[in-house]
Amino acid sequence: MTDLPGVNLDLLSPIDPAEYCTADDDHHAPRLLVLYGSLRERSFSRLAAEEGVRILRHLGAEVRVFDPRDLPLPDSVEPDHPKVAELRELAMWSEGMVWSSPERHGAMTGIMKTQIDWLPLTLGGVRPTQGKTLAVMQVCGGSQSFNAVNQMRILGRWMRMVTIPNQSSVAKAWDEFDAQGRMKPSPYLNRIVDVMEELVKFTYMTRGRPALTDRYSERVESAEELSKRVNQPKL
């Protein structure tokens, strides 16, 4: 029995990595990390994210989901805190991410922002998010809005990620899931399928292509640091 009862699998074709990858790519499954922004027992941002996870796995991706419960506030602990270390290791492992947040008071939740704030721009000389793909989603308690996804797009740009063009915003989310927490067939579910399909394709296209996010300013900075090290006075 399929795990996607609301999706017409005859119209969701397998994605051929050869159509998108570099010539030397080994066609391994895209490694995707999913973050969600609510701790409620019936969290619609988590349920929407879980629908995305099922779709991604159907498309051949390797997916891991981070549970934000017990994640401390930014800068309240050292980065070696177990939950912080777990999140950062997942970020390093991933080739792309999905961020799914409720909209609260016209914005993403603090829980969502806390996770993003713990992702460093640099870590041991490596930029753990630069060049990785990103898909953004939000759920709304009322009419459809795009405040949270717009904010997450700004953050994705700040984290130097490749945010895909498509996005999902589910209006009146409380009416879009059944008693078992599965999303009902609807245009909203269709859009989530669109987003996940596009994320897999963009991940195949962008991984293994560091030149896409190679920056002149960083090359200048690296050259200056090298010059200082090479030309430092002898001790």
Side-chain angles (χ1 to χ4, degrees):
M1 180 180 294
T2 178
D3 197 29
L4 296 169
V7 178
N8 185 339
L9 298 181
D10 292 334
L11 300 178
L12 186 59
S13 302
I15 296 174
D16 182 1
E19 294 186 26
Y20 304 96
C21 292
T22 59
D24 59 350
D25 192 282
D26 63 4
H27 295 183
H28 67 268
R31 300 190 300 269
L32 302 173
L33 170 61
V34 176
L35 308 180
Y36 58 89
S38 171
L39 300 180
R40 289 180 177 176
E41 182 176 352
R42 186 171 168 82
S43 162
F44 296 116
S45 64
R46 176 177 55 79
L47 294 178
E50 289 174 350
E51 289 295 337
V53 168
R54 295 182 186 99
I55 296 161
L56 289 170
R57 286 176 175 159
H58 175 80
L59 293 171
E62 181 181 357
V63 188
R64 299 182 186 178
V65 182
F66 179 73
D67 181 355
R69 199 174 306 275
D70 300 324
L71 181 68
L73 290 172
D75 303 323
S76 65
V77 297
E78 294 300 318
D80 60 358
H81 182 281
K83 288 297 291 188
V84 178
E86 177 190 355
L87 176 59
R88 291 187 170 194
E89 288 170 6
L90 287 171
M92 293 293 291
W93 165 86
S94 70
E95 296 172 322
M97 298 187 194
V98 177
W99 295 350
S100 177
S101 178
E103 181 170 317
R104 181 171 295 169
H105 301 313
M108 79 181 80
T109 61
I111 294 165
M112 191 76 241
K113 184 63 161 57
T114 293
Q115 294 173 84
I116 298 169
D117 283 347
W118 271 121
L119 298 176
L121 284 173
T122 59
L123 186 62
V126 176
R127 300 187 186 277
T129 54
Q130 180 164 313
K132 296 184 178 182
T133 51
L134 173 65
V136 293
M137 304 164 53
Q138 75 169 75
V139 295
C140 312
S143 58
Q144 192 176 45
S145 172
F146 300 93
N147 292 320
V149 289
N150 287 339
Q151 287 184 322
M152 289 188 285
R153 282 188 176 279
I154 292 172
L155 288 170
R157 185 165 67 245
W158 185 257
M159 302 301 289
R160 300 179 177 181
M161 303 181 78
V162 179
T163 308
I164 66 171
N166 220 329
Q167 64 186 26
S168 168
S169 175
V170 180
K172 298 181 180 178
W174 47 268
D175 197 35
E176 294 300 322
F177 295 84
D178 63 23
Q180 287 71 46
R182 297 304 304 268
M183 199 167 184
K184 303 172 186 176
S186 71
Y188 294 128
L189 176 57
N190 293 348
R191 176 56 66 88
I192 290 179
V193 176
D194 288 347
V195 172
M196 298 304 116
E197 186 178 38
E198 189 171 284
L199 177 64
V200 171
K201 291 177 179 178
F202 268 73
T203 304
Y204 277 134
M205 284 192 294
T206 56
R207 75 181 188 189
R209 289 184 167 96
L212 286 175
T213 53
D214 180 52
R215 288 177 166 84
Y216 166 76
S217 60
E218 292 176 357
R219 295 195 296 274
V220 170
E221 181 182 3
S222 298
E224 290 174 349
E225 290 299 316
L226 176 62
S227 177
K228 289 178 183 178
R229 180 171 60 81
V230 172
N231 297 312
Q232 64 181 332
K234 293 182 179 180
L235 297 178

